[in-house]
Amino acid sequence: MELHELTAFQSNQLTHFKLVLNDVKNQDLHTLYMEAINGIEQNLKELLQYYPLAPEGTRNSGNEMDMTAFYAGQLLGFAKTSVRNYAIAITETATPQLRETLQKQLNGAIQLHGKVFYFMLERGLYPSYDLPKLLANDVAMANKAISL
């Protein structure tokens, strides 16, 4: 599952970086974005070699893409990262009041994660209980991100 997590996360980030690249006007930052894009593309190409159960993904046909899966994946990744970050922050909290606040916010992040997860699951955007389909989606998503 960690291979899936890495592939899905990097595919979403690569898509996002490519979508906003032209908005990055500072040349030094633009250069850093290009370095990140090239590095992530290479990472994905290497990770895809470990997907023997998945069929070949398809390249972008040039038609306008439905970005629902991408946007939902971005939100799911944010929610999951929030849960992890709140859990870590709670273990390092010095005051009871802050701990209570972080626990409340952690519960909100958990609820958001569940809502986004079920949104994706119900629409076939995240087939988490079907490993071959999950891995096939990873391959397709990574190839789409690379081909942008």
Side-chain angles (χ1 to χ4, degrees), residues 78-93:
F78 166 78
K80 184 172 187 166
T81 301
S82 294
V83 169
R84 287 178 175 172
N85 289 346
Y86 278 118
I88 292 167
I90 287 169
T91 67
E92 299 175 359
T93 301

Side-chain angles (χ1 to χ4, degrees), residues 2-18 36-48 70 73-74 138 141-143 145-146:
E2 288 303 316
L3 177 63
H4 154 70
E5 295 287 339
L6 285 169
T7 303
F9 176 73
Q10 290 189 62
S11 295
N12 272 330
Q13 288 304 125
L14 180 60
T15 299
H16 175 77
F17 291 158
K18 286 183 173 183
I37 287 168
N38 292 332
I40 295 169
E41 284 181 346
Q42 184 61 39
N43 291 349
L44 287 172
K45 290 174 184 176
E46 291 171 4
L47 290 174
L48 288 175
F70 167 71
Q74 286 277 106
D138 287 348
M141 186 170 58
N143 282 324
I146 291 168

Side-chain angles (χ1 to χ4, degrees), residues 53-66:
L53 297 176
E56 278 296 312
T58 57
R59 294 269 177 187
N60 185 2
S61 64
N63 298 332
E64 188 172 325
M65 285 190 289
D66 178 1

Side-chain angles (χ1 to χ4, degrees), residues 18 21 23 33 44 47 75 86 91 95 97 102 105-107 119 125 129-130 141:
K18 286 183 173 183
L21 182 63
D23 295 333
Y33 263 72
L44 287 172
L47 290 174
L75 190 55
Y86 278 118
T91 67
T95 67
Q97 295 84 2
L102 293 178
Q105 292 178 3
L106 170 62
N107 288 332
F119 171 89
L125 302 175
Y129 301 114
D130 183 347
M141 186 170 58

